[in-house]
Each structure stands twice: as structure tokens, then as C-alpha cells.
Amino acid sequence: MGKSQRNKGASGERELFSLLSDELGIVVRRNLTQTRGGGCDTIDIPNFSLECKRCETYNFNAWWQQTIEQALRSKNKPVLFYRKSRRPWRAMFLLSNICSDFSGSDTVDVSFETACLIIRESL
């Protein structure tokens, strides 16, 4: 990964975590050891393992696999936040983590606002 891609990713994380901090009422910071340790992008939201992607080309399969692997390590619920330039943030959750009537690996894609509501309800 090139320097400009790393900078864009780090900038995306800072942007998202600032928005999440405002919406959730808790301080959400970057996990600065994530690259070396292979962890999630933040450890500040209880019960959730967050992955943040700020890219122009979507690669959901690889991103979701990474999100799931990190969540399994931390025993938390996986959530993937993503966006392209000039687009709003979106989030992907396991449907079974939102509604106990479902099981399996089906996912649901929601707006940033709905994602914050889901997370707030579980805090």
C-alpha cells in the first residue's frame, strides 16, 4: 500500500471517529497498533469491532472477511464503515447482531445515522 493510500485511510478513520464521537457521546480514537497487531480500527466502542474503509473502489468481500476475522479475535460484533469521496458513510452489520430472530451470515447495509442508532442501543 502506498503512502497516499495510507494517508487517505488514516484521514478517513479520523473523520469517521470524530463523527462517531459526536453521535455516540463517547471518545472514539484510532487504534494506532492495528497495522502491527492486526486489530480493528478502534477499540473504544464496547462490544463492536469496527473496520473503516475510505476507498474509491469497493471491495466488500475482502473488507468483510477482514472485519469478521478481527471481530472473532476480539469476540465482538463486526461492523464495517465505508465511503467513497463525496458520498456519505455507510455501515454493514451481521443481521443476526441486530435482530435475534435471524442467524447465519446474512448482512445488512445501513446509513451512518442508522448505524449510530444500532450502536447506541447496545451501549
Side-chain angles (χ1 to χ4, degrees):
M1 178 186 309
K3 183 178 178 182
S4 65
Q5 289 174 308
R6 281 191 308 275
N7 288 343
K8 186 174 190 174
S11 175
E13 288 175 4
R14 285 189 294 272
E15 173 192 340
L16 174 64
F17 297 158
S18 175
L19 292 169
L20 286 171
S21 294
D22 291 344
E23 288 294 319
L24 301 177
I26 60 175
V27 177
V28 181
R29 298 169 299 233
R30 293 178 64 219
N31 178 6
L32 297 177
T33 64
Q34 64 184 304
T35 304
R36 181 176 54 245
C40 57
D41 291 337
T42 184
I43 55 174
D44 293 325
I45 302 177
N47 303 316
F48 286 93
S49 178
L50 267 70
E51 183 61 32
C52 171
K53 298 296 182 183
R54 172 73 175 77
C55 296
E56 298 309 312
T57 304
Y58 291 147
N59 189 357
F60 288 116
N61 290 336
W63 296 348
W64 188 243
Q65 184 62 40
Q66 179 184 9
T67 305
I68 291 291
E69 288 171 5
Q70 292 168 355
L72 286 173
R73 277 195 289 267
S74 64
K75 297 184 175 118
N76 287 324
K77 298 174 186 175
V79 60
L80 169 65
F81 280 91
Y82 65 93
R83 86 170 184 89
K84 288 184 180 182
S85 294
R86 297 173 293 284
R87 302 286 179 143
W89 284 101
R90 305 237 0 125
M92 184 181 294
F93 291 85
L94 278 174
L95 184 56
S96 60
N97 289 154
I98 296 172
C99 182
S100 60
D101 291 341
F102 291 90
S103 62
S105 61
D106 289 341
T107 59
V108 60
D109 185 87
V110 299
S111 69
F112 175 78
E113 293 78 13
T114 300
C116 289
L117 175 66
I118 291 166
I119 294 169
R120 255 193 320 271
E121 289 298 314
S122 73
L123 294 178

